[in-house]
Amino acid sequence: DAGVIQSPRHEVTEMGQEVTLRCKPISGHNSLFWYRQTMMRGLELLIYFNNNVPIDDSGMPEDRFSAKMPNASFSTLKIQPSEPRDSAVYFCASSLVQGQETQYFGPGTRLLVL
Amino acid sequence: GESVGLHLPTLSVQEGDNSIINCAYSNSASDYFIWYKQESGKGPQFIIDIRSNMDKRQGQRVTVLLNKTVKHLSLQIAATQPGDSAVYFCAENIGSNYKLTFGKGTLLTVNP
């Protein structure tokens, strides 16, 4: 299995631009998570999908952030407009079922907003 | 242990020594725990997990110990190798809740 796939691996953009991050979960996994990692705040859960449905988006910082999961094999996290404080590493993770199952992380997208 | 702000706890060991990384978890109701390893520039990688009905679980070169009385988790790495150098995170989970609560991490440096 290829594991969780994320693209792009690195993104540099200017303040105000739209940023779209992409994720392909492990085949057969029905739970998908988007996390943000910074030195100051560590790993933060942004949003959780189960069976393609957003279950908990309480971690999404503000309306500039949105996430979609149109099918079981693809999800996007969009930031519009981006701001310098959005600079972080964004991880996608998937797990087999909801609940006490291991979450497997992708390699992350390192975002820098200038 | 856990850290606040920018500074991660660090552990420096010699190659071949055993390493012990500690984690104090926050919620006495947590009943599932995972250790992750994160190498520079990579995503967290699952190492080992343990459920609260156990106090010890062993994997390949790794052992996790759980002390529910004092809410303490430890990861022991035997015969530490340079490739073990990474940040190690513990994570806790309650019941069938999907949320993992991550610790701040410990930086392990293995000196050749």
Side-chain angles (χ1 to χ4, degrees):
Chain A
D1 197 315
V4 176
I5 299 172
Q6 291 187 247
S7 65
R9 294 294 313 277
H10 303 272
E11 179 80 26
V12 180
T13 191
E14 292 186 342
M15 183 174 63
Q17 296 299 305
E18 178 179 295
V19 175
T20 299
L21 312 181
R22 297 173 176 80
C23 174
K24 176 179 168 55
I26 293 172
S27 178
H29 283 192
N30 61 9
S31 292
L32 184 140
F33 307 81
W34 282 100
Y35 289 88
R36 178 172 66 178
Q37 186 178 42
T38 61
M39 282 298 294
M40 285 300 296
R41 301 172 69 92
L43 269 166
E44 302 174 277
L45 177 65
L46 299 178
I47 188 168
Y48 159 61
F49 291 88
N50 184 249
N51 291 323
N52 313 335
V53 176
I55 303 299
D56 181 358
D57 65 355
S58 60
M60 297 286 263
E62 49 199 89
D63 291 346
R64 297 185 298 106
F65 285 68
S66 63
K68 295 182 180 179
M69 192 165 186
N71 57 62
S73 59
F74 184 66
S75 177
T76 59
L77 177 67
K78 185 176 295 186
I79 309 173
Q80 166 63 18
S82 58
E83 297 182 2
R85 61 192 168 120
D86 302 330
S87 298
V89 183
Y90 291 81
F91 290 104
C92 177
S94 71
S95 68
L96 188 57
V97 295
Q98 178 175 316
Q100 292 189 344
E101 293 291 334
T102 302
Q103 294 180 23
Y104 294 90
F105 284 76
T109 296
R110 188 172 295 273
L111 174 65
L112 177 61
V113 183
L114 302 174
Chain B
E2 301 300 326
S3 69
V4 176
L6 294 174
H7 300 288
L8 289 176
T10 59
L11 176 65
S12 184
V13 301
Q14 292 297 123
E15 181 177 0
D17 287 352
N18 296 332
S19 303
I20 300 176
I21 301 170
N22 297 304
C23 177
Y25 62 92
S26 57
N27 194 325
S28 58
S30 294
D31 56 3
Y32 178 58
F33 305 88
I34 306 175
W35 279 101
Y36 284 93
K37 170 187 179 184
Q38 186 174 21
E39 297 175 86
S40 180
K42 296 184 179 180
Q45 176 188 2
F46 170 82
I47 302 174
I48 192 168
D49 59 359
I50 189 168
R51 299 187 189 276
S52 60
N53 59 353
M54 303 173 68
D55 53 20
K56 179 179 180 179
R57 191 168 186 213
Q58 289 185 290
Q60 187 177 10
R61 283 202 305 120
V62 295
T63 300
V64 55
L65 298 178
L66 174 63
N67 186 330
K68 295 181 287 294
T69 303
V70 295
K71 294 189 292 184
H72 184 266
L73 196 65
S74 68
L75 178 70
Q76 300 178 0
I77 304 173
T80 314
Q81 302 168 0
D84 295 326
S85 295
V87 176
Y88 289 81
F89 294 95
C90 65
E92 60 185 294
N93 175 266
I94 301 171
S96 60
N97 191 325
Y98 53 86
K99 283 190 175 180
L100 287 179
T101 301
F102 287 86
K104 292 291 191 294
T106 295
L107 174 62
L108 174 65
T109 302
V110 181
N111 303 308

